[in-house]
Every structure is written in structure tokens, then in C-alpha cells.
Amino acid sequence: MPSMSFPDLMSKKESLGRPLIMGHRGAMGHAPENTLASFKLAHEMGVDAVELDVHLSADGVLVVHHDETLERTTSGNGEISAMTLEQLRQLDAGAKFSKDYAGERIPTLEEVLTWAKGVELPVVIEFKRNPNVRAIVEAAIGLVERMQAGADVAFISFDHFVPAGLKQARPQWTTGVLYVGRPVDPVALAASAGADGLLPNFYFVEQEDVARAHAAQKWVGCWAPNSERELGYAISQGVDMIGTNFPDRLQALLK
Ligand code: G3P
Ligand code: CA
């Protein structure tokens, strides 16, 4: 499968004749975020990559979940980092979204990467700013290495020390900087972290900035336009990848 490096991503975009579609936490507009059901649905909707968030359980296993705490999306309470994988596995991660998804579990990163490899789908792994982020990144490097999946993933963070450190540790792996706002020099922002990609909130994307990124051999993947108007704006600015909760809406607009 093509990697998320600048040349591979740009050549895939060119061959498709459209920006790449990234399923945000899977297809979270339609299925419980960051679950296998959500990633599988996103894949059925024809995404080119899926995005997810990771945390570490108390016994050191990387699990796929957005918040540091459990109550918003699962039947549990409290911090993920205080619970073992076995305890996390007992929680329902689907019913709060819809009773149709009752019984869905919090997946491990290994499970998602294994599934994604099987269907040849790149995975964009976001590391949240967290006092424990170094340990989370170290665990992710170990897992990705063990699974020989370095070419199939991109590592992104709002904490730009994460992609910077990763690039030093594994120069060949793809990294990206997340941000909200419109920096005067977005290329310098990415370059200071040695990142391959820029990931601005869609609201701040300007065509001119995309052109500057391309001139510096960096791709632009924005997130997370969801309405037709928002998606239309992101498409009109010429970005290379769009992360959305509704991959089906984006597909329909791109046809
Ligand atoms: O892909 C970037 C986006 O996921 C960042 O925001 O809060 O949805 O993780 P959040
Ligand atoms: Ca995310």
C-alpha cells in the first residue's frame, strides 16, 4: 500500500483525481468513534485512510480512544490510564452512540493496525498532549516496529515535540503537525518539527498556504469539515487530504 510520505500521497491524489479521504475516528458521524465498527464502516465508505487517537492502559497496552477519560463514550468512568486492558475490555463503547452498537469494545491499537493491514488502509495515529505522551509514543514506536507497519502509518500531534522526536528516532516514518489557526509561516511551523504534513483545522485553510506547503514538499491534510458547505470549502482550497466524520458526504461531493 502507498505510504503517507509526500511523494506517495501526492501520486495517489493525482491518480484518484481528488483529495484523499481520511475517516475521522473512523466514520464517527455514523458509528461510535474509534471503534472497529467505525473503522470498518469508514472503509466501506471508501476512505483512503483512517484517523484515530491512542492512550496507554495501566498495564501498558495502547488502546484506541479519544478522551483521557471514559465517561463520554463508554459505560465506564475515570481515567483510561488507571485501568488495565482487561478492565477496559469489559466496557461498552457503542451503546452510548446507539443501542444498535451495544457490545462494541475499545480496540487496541494492535487490533486496528492488524485489521488495517489486511484491508491495506493507512492509519493516521494522533498522540494527544498528555503528561505521559513520551511513554505513549515509545510504546507506539515499539508496536509499529514489531508489526513492520512503519510505512503504513502517519504520526500526528498538536504537541509538535512528538513528530519532532519521532522524526529523529525514525526518519523514514511519516509525521504531521496539527494546529488550529493560520500561522504566518505554516511551512516553517512544519519544518521546525521535521514534519512531512501540515494538518490545520479546515476553517483556517487557504489555497495560498497549500501552494506554499507543496513548494516545500509537504502535504496538507485538514480536519474536520462535516457539513456540505464546510466540505465544499475544504475541497475548493486544494488540500491533499480531508478528515471528516462523514466520508459518505465527502464522497458524494467529490463525484
Ligand atoms: O485529525 C485531527 C483531529 O482528529 C484533531 O482533533 O479532537 O478530533 O482529535 P480531535
Ligand atoms: Ca484525533
Side-chain angles (χ1 to χ4, degrees):
M1 86 177 92
S3 78
M4 305 285 284
S5 68
F6 179 76
D8 278 9
L9 198 147
M10 296 305 279
S11 104
K12 179 147 193 212
K13 181 188 173 196
E14 198 172 318
S15 73
L16 292 168
R18 58 159 176 81
L20 271 62
I21 301 172
M22 177 169 74
H24 186 227
R25 306 183 211 170
M28 68 174 280
H30 296 289
E33 63 183 63
N34 280 331
T35 62
L36 271 170
S38 188
F39 299 126
K40 286 177 181 171
L41 184 59
H43 179 245
E44 281 165 31
M45 290 177 170
V47 299
D48 306 294
V50 287
E51 185 265 359
L52 53 77
D53 311 278
V54 287
H55 292 277
L56 263 183
S57 68
D59 50 344
V61 181
L62 285 163
V63 292
V64 178
H65 197 257
H66 183 270
D67 304 356
E68 284 177 17
T69 51
L70 293 157
E71 40 273 15
R72 182 176 61 84
T73 57
T74 78
S75 56
N77 286 298
E79 308 261 331
I80 292 194
S81 60
M83 297 182 69
T84 63
L85 179 64
E86 197 185 334
Q87 290 171 320
L88 292 170
R89 288 300 223 179
Q90 283 159 23
L91 304 178
D92 188 303
K96 275 200 173 158
F97 182 87
S98 156
K99 61 177 178 355
D100 295 343
Y101 285 101
E104 200 62 35
R105 301 290 155 195
I106 295 176
T108 64
L109 181 60
E110 182 166 3
E111 276 178 316
V112 179
L113 291 180
T114 302
W115 166 78
K117 215 176 192 35
V119 296
E120 301 201 338
L121 202 60
V123 177
V124 178
I125 305 173
E126 181 183 348
F127 297 88
K128 290 290 178 207
R129 171 69 198 149
N130 178 304
N132 204 22
V133 70
R134 282 189 185 191
I136 298 173
V137 172
E138 280 306 312
I141 291 175
L143 175 66
V144 168
E145 203 131 71
R146 180 161 60 76
M147 295 184 72
Q148 300 186 325
D152 312 332
V153 297
F155 297 89
I156 65 171
S157 186
F158 285 102
D159 179 345
H160 296 179
F161 284 89
V162 168
L166 262 157
K167 201 43 119 179
Q168 278 195 336
R170 299 290 182 278
Q172 70 283 16
W173 290 4
T174 301
T175 58
V177 286
L178 283 161
Y179 56 94
V180 179
R182 191 172 178 226
V184 170
D185 193 342
V187 171
L189 183 83
S192 70
D196 306 277
L198 285 70
L199 294 118
N201 176 273
F202 80 93
Y203 192 76
F204 296 94
V205 168
E206 285 278 346
Q207 204 158 21
E208 175 193 330
D209 298 339
V210 176
R212 289 157 75 198
H214 289 172
Q217 307 274 295
K218 298 191 187 300
W219 50 258
V220 179
C222 74
W223 52 276
N226 290 313
S227 69
E228 278 198 18
R229 185 179 57 79
E230 292 170 349
L231 289 162
Y233 175 74
I235 295 167
S236 72
Q237 298 308 300
V239 295
D240 308 308
M241 183 162 68
I242 299 175
T244 179
N245 304 351
F246 296 96
D248 51 338
R249 284 185 194 165
L250 181 50
Q251 286 282 13
L253 282 174
L254 289 168
K255 270 180 186 144

